[in-house]
Every structure is written in C-alpha cells, then in structure tokens.
Amino acid sequence: MGIWILNGLTVDANNAQAKKHIFIENDKIAQVLDASESSAPQTDGHEVIDAAGKLVTPGFIDMHVHLREPGFEHKENIATGTRSAARGGFTTIACMPNTRPVIDTVDTVNYILDKAATEGVIRVLPYGTITKNQLGRELTDFAALKEAGVIGYTDDGVGVQSAQMMKDAMALAASMEMPIIAHCEDDTLVVGAPVSEGSFAKKHGLKGIPNESEAIHVGRDILLSEATGVHYHVCHVSTEQSVRLIRHAKQFGIKVTAEVCPHHLVLSDEDIPGLDANWKMNPPLRTPRDVQAVIEGLEDGTIDIIVTDHAPHTEEEKAKGMMLAPFGILGFETAFSLLYTKFVLTEQWTLGFLVDRMTQKPADVFGLPYGTLNVGSIADITIVDLETEREVLKEEIVSRSKNTPFIGWKLQGWPVVTIASGKIVWS
Ligand SMILES: [Zn+2]
C-alpha cells in the first residue's frame, strides 16, 4: 500500500506555486502529478491524505540540534527528541556531540546511530567532536569517525580556543573533504555573563556577553579556512560583526557557510521580560541592531540556512535563575510557525524563501540527498496548515523539556502531517 497526498500546494525557492498530487511507494516519491492538468488519480488500495488548502514541502532539515543522549536523558533522548522534531515538521536532524560521553569515538557514533534506528522516528545524522572530550587539546580520529558515519566535526557548546588546534583540524578535515562546524566563542571575552551586553544587562546590573566574543572567532576561522581550503560552517550567527565578516569572506570566494536560529531572528535582548532563564541561550539574544543584521544576512545569502539549536533543559534546571541556569531553549516545535507568522504573513519573505532555507538549502550546503520532492527521492514530506492560528501550549510540547520563551504566542503555519522515509511519523 502506498500513500497519495492529493491537491497539496507546493512551492519552490523562487516562490513558484502549484497544486500537486504526490504518490509515495515504500520509502520513495513514486509520482508527482500537476493537479490542475490531470484528473484525480486512481487511489484504490492506497492511503489517501487530502492536502487541499495545505502546503506540502520536503521534510524540514535541521543541521544543529541537541538530543542530549547519551548522558543527559533527563532533558531529552533520541526517542523524545526525534518525536519533537517530527511534530515540528523535521525529517532530518544533525545532532551535536556535546553529550556524555561526547561523540568522539566510533563506539559513541555507533550508539547514536543504533538508537536512532531503533527508537527514533526520523533521520539522525551525528557530528563528531573536533577535540577529544571537547577539551581543545588533542584532535579526535577524524578518519575513524568519518568511516563510522559522522557528517562533520564540531566542538559545539564551546569554542576551540587555540588557533593552531583549529588550523590543524581544518587542514585534516579539508584533506578528507569534510566540513568544520564552529561554535564561535572566545572564552577570555565571556567572563561568566548570562546575557548579551545591552540594555537588559544594564537594567538588571548583569555582566554582558560582548559581540566580539563571537565575531573574533568568526574572523580568525575565516582566515584559517582560507589558509586550509576547508568548508567552514559558522554556527548560530547572532551578531552584526559576524555577518559583516562572513559577507566579506564570501566576496573573496572563501568556502564559508553559516546558519541562524529563529530566536535570533525574532527576539532581541529588549524583549526579555525579566529574570526568566527560558530567555537564556548561547549565543544570547542580542541588540535590535544585531537582529536586523542577521535578518539582512539571511535575506542576502550571507547566512545560508535556518537551524533551531534545539537545546532542552528541565524545568528544575531552568528554575535556578538567570545566573545559574544552563544556556539553551527548545527549537523544533515552533521554528516554522514562528518564522511563517513573523516573516511570511507580514510579506517580508516569500513562502518559497522560508521553505528553501529549511529544506533544499541545508541539503545543498551539507551535500545531503534530501530536501526535494523530485520523483525517485526519499519520501520525506511535511504537510503544513497555513491558515489556523494556534497558541503555543506548554502541555502540547512533545519534547521531554519545556524550556521555551514562546509559550502563549499565537502562531500560524503548523505542521500537521510529517512523513519520514515514506512513514507517517506525526499527524
Ligand atoms: Zn553552540
């Protein structure tokens, strides 16, 4: 038995829209018919999903997520994290290696891949760390990790402090045609601050994380990328200075790509309502000027893709207050609806632009065979209700954790069916 998705609205990167009938057989897209030119297909014996009035897109791809397993299963695990992702319309996610143990050995990569295959509901692609135990002192065995299935190397959660270590990592990764993915943060400039430098920090007498702590690594790593020829990908860009440096690097043909998170596109430090750690993440919410810069960076192609940096923490952990609570917020379940409501409904972006930055573009940046609705491709498909406005409710969150600043927000653009490798994993 296959699945027919009838009369759904599809959109491409140029925002060309069409009504299509799509047939899924096993794990592949077997047929795509133009609904305006063909009569209703013969659907006897197959499951039928009526997608009239709904958007049908390739499953969303999120190249930056924290699933917390192994080691922090009280926050999230692969079973709950992939279900939370499926609810958000994601069918491929790339998990960060700052687990315990960290993903720095073949055994841990195998553990992730086995768990994802047996307990997960969507595709999980692991990153391996750049340095052993993420301590910044000794490179991991890049070749063995690649052989085991990692798609790149990153010490996300912390910056690689030594320029020489980063240069060695880039040279090795370049020789293997693998990317280096960097959390950019200079520890000597951070000084234990919980929020960004800006009006919120001033008002509450808090130390602030300066923009340079991110941008100084971006600038350093761009030069190292130029020297080594590696594909260098910048994590969660949040500052005006970083955008400027990446834009300049791209003009020089340096192989740099970059990502931005929904919260850095829709919130500034001035939106933080009080000392509530559900508004604490790293990088922090920056000034309105930075928000404007990352929006422009995404719009002009300086920033390539949208990622969530889904970072679950328990309510007990977040209740420790702005200074002591860990950094990070949930991302999967509100990503598309937030951006659809804030940027597409307001006509700042086209629907095609938003969909492209969450599907085809991330696939292109990382050379993945997903993110399209072409006949013969893997059947990763998300159906989105663009019409119904719904409130973000804490009790509906699928993630094991509930740490999001968006509870109570009224949004449109909710994924209603998620199909991963031909299987319905959320509806
Ligand atoms: Zn990070």
Side-chain angles (χ1 to χ4, degrees):
M1 193 175 86
I3 303 173
W4 274 104
I5 302 170
L6 299 180
N7 291 303
L9 175 76
T10 61
V11 62
D12 71 10
N14 298 317
N15 207 41
Q17 306 192 357
K19 262 210 281 182
K20 299 272 172 74
H21 303 311
I22 297 173
F23 184 54
I24 299 167
E25 202 165 30
N26 301 316
D27 61 344
K28 297 263 170 46
I29 295 177
Q31 284 187 68
V32 179
L33 306 175
D34 196 320
S36 62
E37 288 171 5
S38 52
S39 49
Q42 181 53 252
T43 60
D44 287 0
H46 299 298
E47 182 163 358
V48 175
I49 299 172
D50 176 13
K54 299 200 169 63
L55 172 69
V56 176
T57 80
F60 303 145
I61 297 173
D62 189 346
M63 298 307 297
H64 189 140
V65 320
H66 298 273
L67 295 178
R68 303 303 191 202
E69 184 174 5
F72 303 103
E73 289 87 348
H74 58 290
K75 302 172 195 269
E76 192 83 282
N77 61 32
I78 288 169
T80 59
T82 56
R83 281 166 179 79
S84 173
R87 184 189 179 216
F90 294 92
T91 54
T92 297
I93 57 179
C95 66
M96 287 298 171
N98 59 340
T99 48
R100 289 292 177 277
V102 304
I103 308 178
D104 63 356
T105 64
V106 168
D107 280 352
T108 313
V109 175
N110 288 337
Y111 177 88
I112 302 282
L113 292 173
D114 287 349
K115 276 269 177 174
T118 54
E119 295 175 18
V121 296
I122 62 165
R123 184 175 303 105
V124 175
L125 306 173
Y127 292 111
T129 58
I130 294 171
T131 63
K132 290 184 180 169
N133 263 316
Q134 288 192 286
L135 292 174
R137 299 199 191 109
E138 197 184 342
L139 293 183
T140 55
D141 186 341
F142 279 19
L145 291 172
K146 180 183 181 184
E147 178 73 22
V150 306
I151 56 159
Y153 310 97
T154 178
D155 275 2
D156 183 55
V158 291
V160 174
Q161 300 303 308
S162 154
Q164 184 66 56
M165 182 64 59
M166 192 53 136
K167 189 173 181 184
D168 291 346
M170 286 184 172
L172 183 55
S175 73
M176 296 163 44
E177 297 188 353
M178 291 282 277
I180 290 286
I181 292 92
H183 170 113
C184 290
E185 186 169 22
D186 185 308
D187 288 350
T188 64
L189 291 168
V190 171
V191 296
V195 294
S196 171
E197 267 183 1
S199 56
F200 181 86
K202 273 200 203 82
K203 183 173 157 198
H204 293 275
L206 298 169
K207 283 181 189 167
I209 301 172
N211 282 17
E212 314 86 77
S213 68
E214 172 180 290
I216 210 162
H217 267 210
V218 174
R220 178 199 75 177
D221 291 352
I222 283 168
L223 296 172
L224 296 175
S225 166
E226 183 178 21
T228 59
V230 78
H231 170 199
Y232 169 61
H233 180 78
V234 188
C235 287
H236 39 52
V237 173
S238 69
T239 71
E240 184 269 330
Q241 292 87 342
S242 301
V243 173
R244 205 186 326 141
L245 289 164
I246 296 164
R247 184 176 289 129
H248 187 256
K250 284 191 166 184
Q251 284 164 2
F252 276 80
I254 298 168
K255 228 192 287 176
V256 53
T257 56
E259 62 186 37
V260 64
C261 304
H263 47 272
H264 291 126
L265 293 163
V266 304
L267 297 174
S268 77
D269 68 329
E270 297 185 359
D271 297 310
I272 307 175
L275 296 168
D276 174 355
N278 285 320
W279 297 72
K280 178 180 180 180
M281 71 290 284
N282 189 12
L285 298 175
R286 305 281 186 179
T287 67
R289 182 176 156 204
D290 295 300
V291 174
Q292 190 51 40
V294 292
I295 292 170
E296 285 170 16
L298 184 66
E299 289 173 351
D300 74 8
T302 299
I303 297 173
D304 301 85
I305 63 172
I306 296 163
V307 302
T308 69
D309 194 7
H310 179 80
H313 294 291
T314 65
E315 290 186 69
E316 299 74 51
E317 290 165 322
K318 280 297 193 181
K320 289 178 182 165
M322 204 53 126
M323 281 307 294
L324 296 176
F327 290 97
I329 63 168
L330 301 184
F332 291 141
E333 298 175 53
T334 52
F336 185 84
S337 52
L338 260 180
L339 297 174
Y340 179 73
T341 303
K342 285 281 167 184
F343 293 102
V344 179
L345 283 180
T346 57
E347 297 184 359
Q348 183 164 347
W349 299 347
T350 65
L351 180 59
F353 176 85
L354 172 58
V355 166
D356 180 64
R357 271 31 176 203
M358 294 177 71
T359 57
Q360 183 76 62
K361 200 76 200 259
D364 289 349
V365 165
F366 285 89
L368 304 174
Y370 316 116
T372 85
L373 296 177
N374 293 337
V375 172
S377 59
I378 294 282
D380 289 349
I381 297 179
T382 297
I383 304 176
V384 184
D385 173 359
L386 298 175
E387 303 294 329
T388 312
E389 184 185 78
R390 289 179 40 213
E391 191 175 331
V392 180
L393 296 173
K394 186 172 160 187
E395 50 276 22
E396 290 183 357
I397 293 173
V398 170
S399 169
R400 178 164 280 181
S401 291
K402 312 295 168 197
N403 52 310
T404 167
F406 300 116
I407 287 169
W409 284 45
K410 293 191 173 67
L411 303 174
Q412 274 176 249
W414 291 93
V416 287
V417 179
T418 305
I419 297 171
S421 298
K423 289 199 194 76
I424 297 174
V425 294
W426 168 262
S427 78

